[in-house]
Amino acid sequence: MVNGQWYPAEWPDRIRALAAGTLTPVTPKRAATVMLLKDTGTGPAVHMLRRRASMAFAAGAYAYPGGGVDPRDDEHHVGWAGPTRAWWATRLGVDETAAQAIVCAAVRETYEEAGVLLAGPAPDSVVGDTTGPDWEADRAALVARDLSFAEFLDRRGLVLRSDLLGAWTRWITPEFEARRYDTWFFVAALPEGQRTRNASTEADRTVWIRPAQAAASYDKGELLMMPPTIATLRQLTAYGTAAEALAAAPDRDLTPVLAQARLEGDEIVLAWPGHDEFTKHIPTGGAPA
């Protein structure tokens, strides 16, 4: 492996099956992930976690806090501040109900996995320290799905600060994958007074790292990442502060990125449109190159 690109051993066989018409694609689940940034003396750093080796999906890979949509976030009205649900629906390319659920997933998962909460008691405020035992009890209830995010906000007298998020990109897991996600990537700045911690049962390590440093470690094969993770890290290197990245988010193209597998002679070519560095050439009877 010349870099840290995540590439499961079962992919070639599944790609061949898809090309042959014997594999039916799984419907992707909606998900959200957040690139949480904080400023340092040498530019912004991003919060990343390493997925445990025991995980069924992307084991050992570095990623951002994130996860699937809770269906209850479609159903309950959530205390809301910032751009309206209608605005988010247009931005994300979905209806208003789905927009609320996706934004809720971004905020909820950041709290569940990093202990950082993008919410406040008023539309112009953010909660401070969230590390006390009562906060931890609520976080654990959210993780266990014993408590919905709407109920959590109501109990705390909080509103979700959607204005603290910027929609960055959207990637859909390839059709040949057994576990598929339609994931919206967001960018956000670490709120003043809050700090991250490894609150996830899915991660064995967390780091704050400059995007350029993380990308260099990936290029050396030192950090394992999925294509959307390294792609977004490379994009973040252009910004000198977290505020600059957030300001750039509204102009970002959210056209979904979906890998394509096609037959060319005696090999299958796996490619992510717009991201040539991830292209793989897979001989019909051998390993990818």
Side-chain angles (χ1 to χ4, degrees), residues 32-39 44-47 64-65 88 91-92 103 106-107 110 118 161-169 184-191 208 211 232 235-236 239 241-252 254:
T33 190
V34 177
M35 300 177 288
L36 192 62
L37 303 173
K38 71 174 181 180
D39 289 324
V46 62
H47 181 71
Y64 312 114
W88 278 106
R91 179 71 181 115
L92 300 179
V103 172
V107 176
T110 303
L118 303 176
R161 288 287 305 276
S162 76
D163 56 315
L164 299 182
L165 287 168
W168 192 262
T169 190
W184 283 262
F185 286 68
F186 295 84
V187 65
L190 178 68
W208 280 102
T232 50
Q235 293 159 1
L236 289 173
Y239 303 97
T241 66
E244 288 180 9
L246 279 165
D251 295 325
R252 295 276 310 168
L254 294 186

Side-chain angles (χ1 to χ4, degrees), residues 93-276:
V94 296
D95 61 35
E96 290 188 35
T97 299
Q100 172 180 285
I102 293 163
V103 172
C104 281
V107 176
R108 175 178 46 76
E109 289 288 338
T110 303
Y111 181 52
E112 289 182 8
E113 297 197 338
V116 170
L117 182 59
L118 303 176
D124 59 352
S125 65
V126 184
V127 296
D129 184 13
T130 61
T131 59
D134 58 331
W135 285 102
E136 177 57 25
D138 279 350
R139 192 198 66 79
L142 285 169
V143 172
R145 298 295 182 262
D146 294 333
L147 182 67
S148 75
F149 194 58
E151 293 168 336
F152 165 71
L153 293 177
D154 285 344
R155 175 186 297 180
R156 290 278 177 178
L158 300 174
V159 293
L160 180 152
R161 288 287 305 276
S162 76
D163 56 315
L164 299 182
L165 287 168
W168 192 262
T169 190
R170 179 183 177 186
W171 287 63
I172 301 177
T173 309
E175 292 183 333
F176 48 80
E177 251 291 350
R179 296 171 181 266
R180 300 190 65 213
Y181 301 92
D182 184 354
T183 305
W184 283 262
F185 286 68
F186 295 84
V187 65
L190 178 68
E192 184 176 353
Q194 294 193 39
R195 60 183 186 273
T196 57
R197 55 196 174 92
N198 185 5
S200 174
T201 58
E202 299 178 356
D204 60 11
R205 184 186 184 216
T206 61
V207 295
W208 280 102
I209 187 169
R210 289 184 299 106
Q213 180 185 352
S217 294
Y218 166 90
D219 290 336
K220 295 175 185 176
E222 296 170 351
L223 297 185
L224 181 67
M225 298 181 201
M226 293 176 282
T229 308
I230 181 58
T232 50
L233 282 171
R234 296 202 197 283
Q235 293 159 1
L236 289 173
T237 61
Y239 303 97
T241 66
E244 288 180 9
L246 279 165
D251 295 325
R252 295 276 310 168
D253 182 8
L254 294 186
T255 302
V257 179
L258 173 64
Q260 299 173 348
R262 64 183 186 275
L263 285 170
E264 287 189 1
D266 60 352
E267 67 180 10
I268 297 171
V269 179
L270 172 61
W272 279 259
H275 300 273
D276 292 343

